[in-house]
Amino acid sequence: MAVVTASDALGAHLRLQRGDVEGVRQALGRTEASLIGVLQGIHGLRIAIGDAQEEPKE
């Protein structure tokens, strides 16, 4: 997942260099989604080792 995040961020940067504003927006959306997945995975690992508590479901 982290590799996908990095490649999406690089894609956003390259699109910015080309002046493709809409492409940057799309790439940033993918980057954000990938980053959220990474953070959720890290939080899940912290729960598994007891460093964090699971959020209560509403």
Side-chain angles (χ1 to χ4, degrees), residues 2-39:
V3 172
V4 173
T5 304
S7 65
D8 287 338
L10 176 60
H13 176 73
L14 294 174
R15 284 173 175 80
L16 179 64
Q17 287 182 331
R18 288 188 295 221
D20 178 9
V21 175
E22 189 56 37
V24 171
R25 284 186 181 107
Q26 292 174 358
L28 286 176
R30 287 190 302 271
T31 303
E32 288 173 337
S34 297
L35 186 55
I36 289 167
V38 169
L39 292 174

